[in-house]
Amino acid sequence: MAIFVHDNELQFHLQSKSASYVFQVLPSGYVNHLYYGKRLRDHDLSWLTNRVERASFSPNPVNEDRTISLDTLPQELPVYGTSDFRHPAVQIRQHNGSTITEFTYKGYRIVKGKPALEGLPSTYVEQEDEAVTLYVELQDQVAGVEIELAYTVFEPYDAITRSMKISNTGQASVEILRALSAAVDFPHAQFDWLQLSGAWTRERDMFRRPLTPGTVSVESRRGASGHQQNPFAALMAPGTDEDHGEVYGFSLVYSGSFVAQAEVDQFGTTRLSAGINPFDFGWQLPAGASFQTPEVVMVYTDKGLSGMSHTYHRLYRERLARGKFRDEVRPVLVNNWEATYFQFNAEKIESIATAGKELGIELFVLDDGWFGHRDNDDSSLGDWVVDFNKLPNGLDDLVNRITSQGMGFGLWFEPEMISPDSDLYREHPDWCLHVPDRRRTQGRQQLVLDFSRQDVRDEIVRMMTAILGSAPITYVKWDMNRNMTEIGSALLKPENQRETAHRYMLGLYEVMERVTTSFPDILFESCSGGGGRFDPGMLYYMPQTWTSDNTDAVSRLRIQYGTSLVYPVSSMGSHVSAVPNHQVGRSTSLQTRGLVAMSGNFGYELDLTHFTEDERQIVRDQVSLYKEIRGLVQFGTFHRLVSPFEGQGREAAWMFVAADESEAIVFYFRVLAEPNSPLRRLKLKGLDPQADYSIEGAEGIRGGDALMYGGISVGLPLGDYHSEFYRLKRV
């Protein structure tokens, strides 16, 4: 049993494998948060609430108990207007213009398993006994609104999810102004805050700082989760490192504008909240209607950042990603984008594919430029028909020529965009997001289709279905290359315009559901200029994401290391590209580029026909090696060993260990050579300390304990951008 309810005290105790989450209903009807942290035995924990009367600036809504002020009470559903001055989770405008609400307890129910969230991606169960869900019902009788808080405990996966549904049970319409998915009140502020931030080609750098009074937040107002901030935040005990210390992780399963924030109040307590960004958001809720928020996945561990990451990796790999390819090794591919950009024909594409087949590559991916009249990025998005100038015999002919060699064939789409220079735009100029009498701001010479409209969604699904059904296509790269401006819809009423961005996300999720379920044998990879929408919402529909448009091996050390904080390696696309690198101009060895790319879903993004014979042999060996180790890379336990965010970024290392600890692979990277440098011993992780291991290429047998606690020696390289690879097997 993962949820214990003490009906006499109305106390609820949620237990995952490592954590307890406890709250209680007070006689006043307020739901009082009691505890979140290391797992406790189930008994009465009411005494964990410590209340005192404060000054009149913290008003008392319960006259008979002046120790209760919502300004100081830890709550499960904080709202504004009746004595809580901190950030609320909910704000609702009622028919009289008031935004004051006060929700009190109505009842609860418990169900086995985890019901799906209507219209939204979420974690799931395959068997009912994998999870249990608690629904707590609250009501504001004056506003005529009820809120159902949902808590799912994945006891074997060691995670708790939270979301809520807002229902209008009154007679008049109301407007939701703020609907965050979760808020957790902590009794102190002795935390470090951790976030993943960056920019296009520089995604998911790790930033850490101590909390101070006030609010720290990460957010997106872009209509997408974005390159700049990731929908994730963590609170950490001071001194926490990779393997030790308490960490609370909060990951939002949503791909649109979001906010995650921590507020430290005057009494040194912390409120962590996350959900849809209330900036420029509003939702009309007519009588009888409901609104569902996305879910937040909460992870607690006392085993440092690696403990948190391992929980997210397993849960997201096994119970967020779906479909045939969730549990299958991913093919080694070659993508033509950096090889040809828009300038190609059928013969050139076939020559790259043929060269790839000779090197053992399994899949060719045709990127941007195969449709409409797409010779540059000025036109044709929305015209998903084959360009017969480039492919005179059609797409099916090219696909058959490549698949006849025994290779799979993949195709690039950007379904959410429209070019002003396109037949679709000329026929339907109102199908893009726009506001009357305002400029239609372009990015990359394109506009955003209005996926809040059913007619737009249906037409995109029709065109994609026609293409995907016309040939034996086994892979799709789904791209999105700009964020929203002039956010408005021609079909929505004035009072509904602030719903557009979220309706877009619901529409996008519908399109992805329809397309991916219609083609279950296609491996879908999401992309947004690389990692601009690397979030849990995308992983629900597509089991992998193009990690970054930056393919430079040194840059990828930070990008892939930071991404691994939350996301499993099986979700990361990683390719070898040409040098000098097209994004940063750096030249690294083919070996180093290969080892970095092999630390993800492996592929190449260059012109294979330009290789020398020596380079061809290196690639042939890389492909062969990856086929041997990819099961371990994609589904093994990932351990971070050396951080590229520390020590001036001179080195990085990580490793993968089999579930039964029978084998492991280790990757070490030295970015900059250092004269007369100290000798380096690399301490490994995750091995069986009682077992002995052989190391490929080295003489002798080493004990697992010695490898972890003593470490292995790495070389003293001459030259920059050095890499080493170790393969261990239990003997």
Side-chain angles (χ1 to χ4, degrees):
M1 180 65 174
I3 297 178
F4 300 91
V5 180
H6 301 270
D7 287 306
N8 290 338
E9 298 86 11
L10 276 179
Q11 186 175 124
F12 302 85
H13 185 169
L14 287 61
Q15 281 187 348
S16 68
K17 186 165 56 176
S18 301
S20 283
Y21 188 102
V22 189
F23 57 90
Q24 183 173 23
V25 180
L26 300 180
S28 58
Y30 300 131
V31 185
N32 179 201
H33 178 78
L34 294 176
Y35 176 83
Y36 182 31
K38 192 172 179 66
R39 178 167 168 155
L40 307 174
R41 290 181 291 113
D42 180 51
H43 48 78
D44 184 13
L45 296 168
S46 304
W47 56 273
L48 285 172
T49 293
N50 187 17
R51 300 196 308 265
V52 296
E53 182 180 359
R54 297 288 187 176
S56 60
F57 293 96
S58 296
N60 311 112
V62 182
N63 291 331
E64 57 271 23
D65 186 352
R66 292 190 177 183
T67 68
I68 294 180
S69 172
L70 301 183
D71 195 33
T72 61
L73 187 72
Q75 299 164 70
E76 290 300 299
L77 182 66
V79 297
Y80 178 78
T82 56
S83 77
D84 190 346
F85 301 98
R86 296 166 288 176
H87 283 292
V90 174
Q91 190 174 29
I92 297 172
R93 179 185 288 124
Q94 294 136 69
H95 66 92
N96 62 1
S98 167
T99 57
I100 296 171
T101 53
E102 188 169 32
F103 288 90
T104 54
Y105 177 78
K106 181 181 178 183
Y108 78 92
R109 59 192 175 94
I110 296 176
V111 301
K112 293 181 180 180
K114 183 178 187 291
L117 301 186
E118 183 178 358
L120 287 166
S122 63
T123 52
Y124 60 89
V125 297
E126 291 189 341
Q127 305 292 332
E128 279 191 348
D129 61 0
E130 293 176 353
V132 60
T133 300
L134 167 69
Y135 294 99
V136 176
E137 300 167 2
L138 308 174
Q139 63 183 350
D140 183 326
Q141 293 182 327
V142 175
V145 176
E146 293 186 358
I147 291 180
E148 186 176 68
L149 305 178
Y151 305 79
T152 295
V153 182
F154 284 90
E155 187 173 16
Y157 285 90
D158 210 10
I160 298 172
T161 71
R162 284 194 58 180
S163 65
M164 68 177 175
K165 183 166 69 174
I166 304 173
S167 300
N168 185 352
T169 58
Q171 301 300 312
S173 178
V174 299
E175 183 181 13
I176 301 171
L177 303 178
R178 186 182 186 94
L180 301 186
S181 299
V184 180
D185 287 340
F186 294 90
H188 63 85
Q190 284 76 55
F191 290 115
D192 286 351
W193 164 272
L194 182 65
Q195 66 190 64
L196 298 174
S197 302
W200 175 70
T201 67
R202 187 169 41 81
E203 296 91 341
R204 290 172 297 286
D205 271 8
M206 296 170 59
F207 292 90
R208 177 175 180 170
R209 53 182 150 163
L211 291 184
T212 59
T215 301
V216 59
S217 68
V218 290
E219 62 179 319
S220 169
R221 296 178 294 276
R222 296 172 171 271
S225 50
H227 299 86
Q228 294 71 22
Q229 312 288 356
N230 198 258
F232 161 82
L235 297 179
M236 310 162 57
T240 293
D241 60 19
E242 187 66 28
D243 300 299
H244 309 91
E246 290 191 307
V247 184
Y248 298 85
F250 299 85
S251 175
L252 180 67
V253 185
Y254 189 61
S255 309
S257 297
F258 74 92
V259 66
Q261 59 192 18
E263 179 181 10
V264 177
D265 74 354
Q266 59 187 322
F267 302 114
T269 68
T270 303
R271 172 170 293 168
L272 191 294
S273 54
I276 296 172
N277 199 329
F279 176 82
D280 201 38
F281 169 81
W283 194 272
Q284 295 293 325
L285 200 64
S290 297
F291 179 85
Q292 175 65 55
T293 71
E295 76 176 10
V296 170
V297 179
M298 307 190 307
V299 170
Y300 164 82
T301 181
D302 63 355
K303 294 180 172 56
L305 290 173
S306 64
M308 180 196 71
S309 296
H310 291 163
T311 296
Y312 277 124
H313 291 179
R314 182 170 173 243
L315 179 65
Y316 283 0
R317 188 174 61 231
E318 298 178 6
R319 292 297 180 269
L320 178 65
R322 302 178 301 161
K324 170 184 175 180
F325 293 95
R326 184 192 73 178
D327 304 320
E328 290 191 4
V329 294
R330 313 292 164 73
V332 181
L333 64 84
V334 57
N335 181 299
N336 73 294
W337 177 241
E338 290 192 20
T340 66
Y341 294 103
F342 296 103
Q343 309 310 312
F344 62 82
N345 55 32
E347 287 68 33
K348 180 60 180 177
I349 294 302
E350 187 176 13
S351 71
I352 296 174
T354 300
K357 175 62 177 177
E358 293 172 352
L359 299 173
I361 293 173
E362 300 162 305
L363 170 69
F364 176 85
V365 179
L366 178 59
D367 211 281
D368 195 353
W370 58 268
F371 55 93
H373 303 286
R374 184 82 164 170
D375 296 323
N376 52 46
D377 58 15
D378 290 340
S379 73
S380 301
L381 290 174
D383 295 342
W384 298 109
V385 293
V386 176
D387 181 356
F388 285 93
N389 290 319
K390 291 180 180 177
L391 307 177
N393 295 317
L395 179 66
D396 56 339
D397 174 73
L398 176 63
V399 175
N400 289 329
R401 285 157 65 180
I402 291 175
T403 57
S404 66
Q405 301 182 41
M407 295 186 78
F409 187 92
L411 200 59
W412 179 95
F413 284 91
E414 193 169 4
E416 302 163 62
M417 299 295 149
I418 186 170
S419 301
D421 182 8
S422 67
D423 292 340
L424 186 67
Y425 187 82
R426 285 183 280 272
E427 184 176 353
H428 299 287
D430 64 332
W431 275 19
C432 67
L433 294 178
H434 68 282
V435 175
D437 304 320
R438 295 287 181 186
R439 177 189 65 246
R440 300 183 180 189
T441 301
Q442 296 183 30
R444 199 175 181 249
Q445 293 77 53
Q446 60 196 60
L447 301 169
V448 183
L449 280 168
D450 182 1
F451 268 37
S452 73
R453 296 176 54 149
Q454 189 68 55
D455 53 353
V456 173
R457 301 197 298 270
D458 288 345
E459 178 61 13
I460 294 301
V461 170
R462 184 195 68 77
M463 287 191 284
M464 290 190 70
T465 299
I467 290 292
L468 295 177
S470 68
I473 294 167
T474 57
Y475 172 101
V476 164
K477 180 180 178 182
W478 184 305
D479 210 346
M480 189 277 284
N481 278 301
R482 62 154 297 181
N483 295 142
M484 297 180 184
T485 57
E486 294 85 43
I487 303 175
S489 174
L491 293 189
L492 292 177
K493 297 177 181 178
E495 61 269 24
N496 299 109
Q497 288 297 322
R498 281 159 56 98
E499 302 172 9
T500 304
H502 182 59
R503 288 188 179 276
Y504 177 100
M505 291 313 308
L506 296 177
L508 173 62
Y509 290 148
E510 178 202 302
V511 170
M512 287 183 166
E513 181 74 17
R514 291 167 65 184
V515 173
T516 58
T517 56
S518 295
F519 296 93
D521 294 325
I522 291 179
L523 170 58
F524 286 86
E525 178 180 82
S526 67
C527 176
S528 177
R533 210 161 55 184
F534 204 125
D535 59 67
M538 288 292 107
L539 290 184
Y540 181 77
Y541 301 98
M542 304 182 188
Q544 63 186 58
T545 299
W546 180 225
T547 314
S548 177
D549 277 350
N550 187 347
T551 53
D552 170 60
V554 174
S555 299
R556 276 297 189 105
L557 296 177
R558 293 169 66 98
I559 293 169
Q560 292 172 204
Y561 190 100
T563 302
S564 76
L565 198 67
V566 182
Y567 304 100
V569 170
S570 62
S571 68
M572 298 186 212
S574 189
H575 298 171
V576 174
S577 61
V579 292
N581 177 264
H582 292 193
Q583 289 77 43
V584 300
R586 187 170 14 236
S587 292
T588 54
S589 70
L590 189 52
Q591 173 184 313
T592 292
R593 281 177 279 155
L595 289 179
V596 173
M598 276 191 264
S599 303
N601 296 318
F602 185 50
Y604 293 83
E605 190 151 334
L606 39 67
D607 191 340
L608 299 173
T609 66
H610 290 172
F611 276 146
T612 66
E613 186 52 43
D614 287 344
E615 289 172 327
R616 286 167 56 82
Q617 188 57 50
I618 292 173
V619 170
R620 193 176 288 113
D621 292 342
Q622 287 177 343
V623 171
S624 177
L625 173 61
Y626 188 73
K627 289 179 180 178
E628 294 179 20
I629 66 172
R630 60 181 162 187
L632 189 53
V633 169
Q634 294 169 12
F635 305 115
T637 301
F638 178 75
H639 294 272
R640 295 179 291 265
L641 303 180
V642 180
S643 172
F645 296 99
E646 300 173 0
Q648 300 179 323
R650 289 182 180 272
E651 56 183 351
W654 48 66
M655 64 184 293
F656 302 83
V657 182
D660 62 0
E661 302 169 344
S662 63
E663 61 176 327
I665 49 177
V666 183
F667 297 79
Y668 172 79
F669 306 95
R670 182 68 176 261
V671 176
L672 296 177
E674 185 178 1
N676 201 26
S677 61
L679 297 177
R680 175 62 145 137
R681 296 196 70 84
L682 189 64
K683 293 184 179 181
L684 307 187
K685 297 179 182 179
L687 303 177
D688 180 355
Q690 304 302 317
D692 293 325
Y693 293 86
S694 64
I695 303 178
E696 190 172 282
E699 294 183 4
I701 303 299
R702 275 83 168 174
D705 51 353
L707 290 168
M708 291 192 292
Y709 312 136
I712 58 174
S713 296
V714 296
L716 288 176
L718 292 176
D720 298 334
Y721 320 132
H722 175 78
S723 59
E724 297 183 22
F725 174 77
Y726 306 90
R727 193 170 184 182
L728 286 69
K729 291 189 177 181
R730 184 163 53 199
V731 294

